Amino acid sequence: YFSFNKKNKYLISNINISIEKNDIVGIIGKTGSGKSTLIDIIMGLIKPDIGQILINDKTLDFDSEKISIWRNSFSHVPQNIFLLDASVAKNIAFGLEDEDINFKRLKYAAELASISDFIETMPFRFKTEIGENGIKLSGGQRQRLGIARALYKKSNLIILDEATSALDDSTEKKIIRSLNMIDNITIIMIAHRLTTLKNCNKIIEIGKGQISNSYSSYDEMILKNKEL
């Protein structure tokens, strides 16, 4: 349970979810249903008023210095990516200097994020400066750089918060297929298109801060909604 203001009703209430290693979990719901709030709780950015987060059966202590270990253990790709006024390489290998960047890993991450072909057309390729907050890039190109950044980090958990909303359908499908090919990775995604969820083995629908429906596959979700 969670509320930003203790005098108001809970934005999230009676949420109980189990996510296993290598799960691909989709979260859907209308604007304002509580999807992003739920993700912020999972990421340890806000503390639930009632209840707890368990990671490998250990309670996540929001008041401990160890909370920063959890926050650094996953990759989060939001809808609007923060980009440095720096090169493509430094934006993918975020926080590293040129001499510390593994360019083989960099190129692989770019390929999986379907942005390597575009980078090859840039004047200085991975060393091309992209301007303040990626002003020289389109929304889709910024999102793909954000996904490449997450893949370069090689986290075992990737959280996608409408991270493909600016992409065309075919590019999005290509990236989702690439993510599904990676071994030992758990994915949690808030989706803006239902087709994004085709490879999910768990789909959770949030309505008014609660779980209104849950499905074990995309096909089950489509079938049940046709029956309504």
Side-chain angles (χ1 to χ4, degrees):
Y1 292 75
F2 175 79
S3 172
F4 282 110
N5 186 331
K6 303 299 180 287
K7 295 179 181 179
N8 295 336
K9 66 177 183 178
Y10 289 112
L11 292 176
I12 291 288
S13 60
N14 197 32
I15 295 281
N16 187 19
I17 300 171
S18 177
I19 298 173
E20 304 295 330
K21 182 179 179 181
N22 299 329
D23 272 350
I24 303 176
V25 181
I27 299 175
I28 56 174
K30 295 179 180 178
T31 301
S33 61
K35 303 185 302 296
S36 292
T37 302
L38 175 60
I39 288 293
D40 285 345
I41 292 173
I42 290 172
M43 294 193 298
L45 300 180
I46 53 178
K47 182 180 179 181
D49 297 322
I50 302 172
Q52 56 190 342
I53 306 294
L54 297 174
I55 303 166
N56 296 333
D57 296 324
K58 294 181 179 179
T59 301
L60 179 63
D61 187 351
F62 283 77
D63 300 317
S64 166
E65 291 180 359
K66 291 182 179 179
I67 189 69
S68 61
I69 297 174
W70 169 243
R71 290 171 181 164
N72 290 321
S73 68
F74 55 80
S75 293
H76 173 228
V77 188
Q79 186 174 9
N80 298 308
I81 310 295
F82 171 75
L83 295 173
L84 301 168
D85 185 2
S87 67
V88 171
K90 283 189 175 180
N91 272 285
I92 295 176
F94 196 72
L96 298 180
E97 296 301 324
D98 286 338
E99 60 270 21
D100 298 320
I101 296 173
N102 181 327
F103 272 83
K104 184 177 179 181
R105 186 161 137 194
L106 191 81
K107 290 177 180 178
Y108 182 63
E111 286 174 8
L112 290 179
S114 293
I115 197 167
S116 56
D117 288 347
F118 170 72
I119 293 170
E120 289 301 317
T121 68
M122 301 177 86
F124 302 104
R125 296 179 175 83
F126 283 93
K127 294 185 179 180
T128 304
E129 301 284 321
I130 63 170
E132 186 175 354
N133 207 25
I135 195 169
K136 298 178 182 179
L137 306 175
S138 70
Q141 288 158 356
R142 287 194 289 269
Q143 286 193 331
R144 282 181 282 165
L145 274 185
I147 293 168
R149 178 188 293 170
L151 294 170
Y152 182 88
K153 188 178 175 182
K154 295 183 79 172
S155 304
N156 290 326
L157 170 62
I158 294 181
I159 299 172
L160 306 172
D161 190 348
E162 297 202 40
T164 58
S165 60
L167 303 180
D168 62 80
D169 191 49
S170 62
T171 303
E172 181 187 58
K173 285 178 180 176
K174 189 176 179 181
I175 291 173
I176 297 299
R177 279 198 302 269
S178 295
L179 291 174
N180 292 334
M181 290 167 58
I182 302 172
D183 292 328
N184 297 318
I185 188 171
T186 304
I187 300 171
I188 303 172
M189 61 171 77
I190 293 179
H192 68 290
R193 295 188 191 106
L194 291 181
T195 51
T196 309
L197 308 173
K198 280 192 173 181
N199 294 300
C200 291
N201 66 306
K202 290 180 183 177
I203 299 173
I204 298 158
E205 185 173 355
I206 305 294
K208 297 181 180 180
Q210 297 183 325
I211 296 176
S212 56
N213 280 298
S214 60
Y215 313 96
S216 60
S217 69
Y218 172 82
D219 290 339
E220 182 190 353
M221 177 182 67
I222 296 300
L223 180 63
K224 282 190 175 181
N225 281 280
K226 278 184 178 178
E227 293 171 351
L228 296 178

